[in-house]
Amino acid sequence: MAASEFQSLQGMSDIRAPEIYLWRMIEDEARKLFNCYGYEELRTPVLEKLSVFKRSIGDTTDVVQKEMYAFKDRGGRELAMCPEGTAGTIRHLAGCGEEGLNARVFYIAPMFRCERPQAGRKRQFHQVGVEATGEPNPLADAECIALQQNLLEAWGLVGSKIQISTRGARSDRQPVADGLREALQPHLNNLCEDCQRRIDENVLRVIDCKNEGCAKIVDQIPSALEFMAEESRQYLDAVIQALEKMGIEVEVNPKLVRGLDYYVHTVWEITHDALGAQNAIAGGGRYEIALGKKAVPGVGFAVGIERVITSLETCGITAEQFAPKGGIWLISLGEDALAENMKLARQLREKGNRCGMELADKSMKAQMRKANREGAEIVIIRGEDELAKGTVVVKDMEDGSQEEMNLEDVIRNA
RNA sequence: GUGAUUGUAGCUCAGUUGGUUAGAGCGCCUGAUUGUGGUUCAGGAGGCCGCGGGUUCAAAUCCCGUCUUUCACCCCA
């Protein structure tokens, strides 16, 4: 709380115990599950050439235009900190030749976006995401969504909703934009200010405007899907059918808009009510990204760890549940016992025991209090008497019982 | 980028119309006869009142700036 000259940056926070226990659970469960699905971990640099993001996410998107940490380094090179994970991943895979066109990778990494912080939005935030490259195939998309659902389940998250839609093939973009514009034209004067601007810049944004008046108008006009080629709609249907076979329910929402340029065909979003205005905990879709000679097709998703954590908390899942517990606490009475206990602690720790002790000469009462506070299950007491006899007193903190035991036996049974 | 909002002890917060040594609860430390925790009781330590300016005899309190917190818009995970 103490604000100082050397405080951390706005929207960037330090993560420590107990909260960190939840982070570790999330990461551990993710790695386990990704292994089951045959995904390998990929760690890409935080910094990339600015062009990587411009080219893949899109030059005109808000993410690139107003949210990135972009700067020139000492050599005048234009760089940016990754605002999302797909671009860097595909930049890597695009350089892997044949192998990169049929890969399954996942990442757990920090992302950076220079926006004003608010609920569920940090300037440094963290995502766990996957990418599976390969030619468009509805089954691949369905499997990716299945993986995502399994992931949320593995974390114990309940109450999330999945919405799905399609952006159609690239060739559908123009007809969709034209079609929507034409349909909206008669209502132009009734749209909100933003939408009057958006109708030219990015019609799709009009579709998901939260303004009530705009929403009503949008309900009256045909959905974007109706301006797409038949094959594009069939592709979405195939994904939905495959999901149904796996027992995964989705809500089709033609108004779902995903802003990044690289998406084609299937797009989806997971929302959770716990979150407030930023209610998406995960988003994904099929894409096509040209960062090399050949465009890399693939499908993937990313989950926001911070947002998952707030959602988990409303499910009653807390960090404390994953806190390390129990262990042994050593109590030393006198300097000799203290020195000997240092040795004992080392031996116990070498055998994998969680073991703590006071390193200063404190009263027994103080040491016992600390042992209790640290949640020790067992306390080992050593004073001059025990030292002389080669024994220790072993106390069970739960029921308060204690007995004198041979030091060797204690180490052997640890 | 726009509009609100916050900052006082380790934590959660009081602090009257500007006025003397800035408070509480929890936590922490020490004790309640020699080497035994979680309960109780007694005592104690601990504060650049976010930071920098200004007004005033006098500022935690009023004014300006700045950083930060939280929230919304925009957009996204």
Side-chain angles (χ1 to χ4, degrees):
Chain A
M1 169 129 312
S4 93
E5 194 187 344
F6 302 114
Q7 63 196 210
S8 64
L9 261 21
Q10 181 176 33
M12 304 208 176
S13 36
D14 305 316
I15 305 156
R16 52 165 293 175
E19 201 201 344
I20 197 78
Y21 304 133
L22 209 40
W23 285 74
R24 287 212 293 242
M25 180 279 283
I26 286 171
E27 292 167 12
D28 292 347
E29 292 296 330
R31 288 199 167 88
K32 260 195 280 179
L33 185 66
F34 292 150
N35 178 51
C36 296
Y37 274 79
Y39 282 73
E40 296 289 353
E41 183 162 5
L42 173 68
R43 302 193 185 187
T44 58
V46 164
L47 285 178
E48 299 273 357
K49 284 182 185 161
L50 178 60
S51 54
V52 168
F53 302 115
K54 282 191 170 174
R55 183 67 182 274
S56 55
I57 299 168
D59 223 340
T60 59
T61 56
D62 279 7
V63 171
V64 167
Q65 283 203 324
K66 29 186 248 202
E67 295 168 8
M68 268 200 310
Y69 281 95
F71 58 95
K72 282 185 184 165
D73 73 359
R74 286 168 188 273
R77 288 166 284 254
E78 293 205 299
L79 309 179
M81 295 170 82
C82 56
E84 53 92 84
T86 304
T89 302
I90 299 305
R91 190 264 311 136
H92 169 82
L93 294 176
C96 293
E98 199 64 12
E99 194 193 328
L101 295 174
N102 186 21
R104 292 182 161 211
V105 296
F106 75 88
Y107 55 83
I108 301 176
M111 305 295 164
F112 304 85
R113 271 133 80 170
C114 194
E115 312 171 83
R116 289 279 286 276
Q118 75 188 73
R121 169 186 289 165
K122 293 265 179 199
R123 285 183 167 178
Q124 175 173 338
F125 60 102
H126 301 77
Q127 290 187 337
V128 1
V130 308
E131 313 293 349
T133 54
E135 288 305 317
N137 174 353
L139 295 184
D141 301 13
E143 193 198 40
C144 193
I145 291 172
L147 165 57
Q148 185 185 249
Q149 289 303 98
N150 278 11
L151 186 58
L152 301 182
E153 283 163 24
W155 290 333
L157 185 66
V158 293
S160 64
K161 277 187 292 210
I162 171 163
Q163 299 191 319
I164 191 170
S165 184
T166 179
R167 287 197 65 177
R170 278 207 189 266
S171 52
D172 288 321
R173 285 202 188 172
Q174 201 55 46
V176 166
D178 292 345
L180 289 174
R181 268 192 205 111
E182 198 182 319
L184 285 166
Q185 207 59 42
H187 309 278
L188 191 59
N189 294 330
N190 297 322
L191 292 171
C192 72
E193 257 180 60
D194 284 334
C195 285
Q196 302 206 4
R197 179 175 45 80
R198 286 196 275 238
I199 198 162
D200 292 321
E201 289 176 1
N202 192 347
V203 215
L204 288 176
R205 285 276 159 242
V206 178
I207 303 304
D208 77 338
C209 180
K210 282 163 197 155
N211 182 298
E212 269 183 47
C214 299
K216 265 189 191 158
I217 294 169
V218 169
D219 282 340
Q220 291 170 30
I221 67 164
S223 90
L225 302 195
E226 303 192 26
F227 301 107
M228 288 175 193
E230 182 61 27
E231 299 83 64
S232 295
R233 287 200 293 264
Q234 281 172 357
Y235 189 101
L236 179 61
D237 286 342
V239 175
I240 293 166
Q241 273 179 29
L243 286 168
E244 267 172 20
K245 281 241 168 72
M246 288 188 282
I248 295 170
E249 275 180 43
V250 295
E251 183 192 330
V252 179
N253 177 8
K255 295 188 198 174
L256 180 69
V257 176
R258 311 234 72 225
L260 312 186
D261 276 2
Y262 52 58
Y263 286 119
V264 292
H265 286 298
T266 324
V267 290
W268 66 88
E269 204 166 276
I270 311 285
T271 57
H272 198 279
D273 292 338
L275 258 27
Q278 267 60 48
N279 65 350
I281 58 176
R286 171 154 291 282
Y287 50 80
E288 205 174 82
I289 298 178
L291 288 174
K293 276 191 182 158
K294 276 171 93 179
V296 177
V299 62
F301 66 80
V303 192
I305 297 183
E306 284 85 351
R307 291 186 186 180
V308 165
I309 285 175
T310 29
S311 305
L312 283 176
E313 279 162 357
T314 64
C315 298
I317 295 169
T318 62
E320 277 78 10
Q321 294 169 29
F322 303 98
K325 286 189 211 60
I328 304 169
W329 195 265
L330 267 38
I331 288 185
S332 337
L333 300 161
E335 277 179 31
D336 295 342
L338 186 55
E340 284 301 319
N341 270 350
M342 293 286 285
K343 183 179 171 192
L344 175 57
R346 191 164 123 88
Q347 289 168 317
L348 292 172
R349 288 163 178 160
E350 275 169 358
K351 298 187 98 174
N353 293 285
R354 178 176 153 89
C355 171
M357 62 182 285
E358 180 65 62
L359 297 180
D361 191 18
K362 289 270 182 78
S363 74
M364 174 137 195
K365 197 186 260 278
Q367 293 187 64
M368 281 299 293
R369 257 202 296 267
K370 187 139 182 195
N372 187 62
R373 205 166 40 228
E374 297 287 333
E377 285 171 316
I378 289 166
V379 160
I380 293 178
I381 303 165
R382 255 211 300 190
E384 312 219 335
D385 297 351
E386 289 81 8
L387 228 46
K389 284 190 279 182
T391 62
V392 292
V393 172
V394 178
K395 178 176 176 121
D396 183 322
M397 289 295 272
E398 192 116 357
D399 59 23
S401 68
Q402 60 183 54
E403 64 173 311
E404 193 163 349
M405 292 174 71
N406 235 310
L407 178 63
E408 264 79 55
D409 294 341
V410 171
I411 295 170
R412 199 172 323 120
N413 299 330

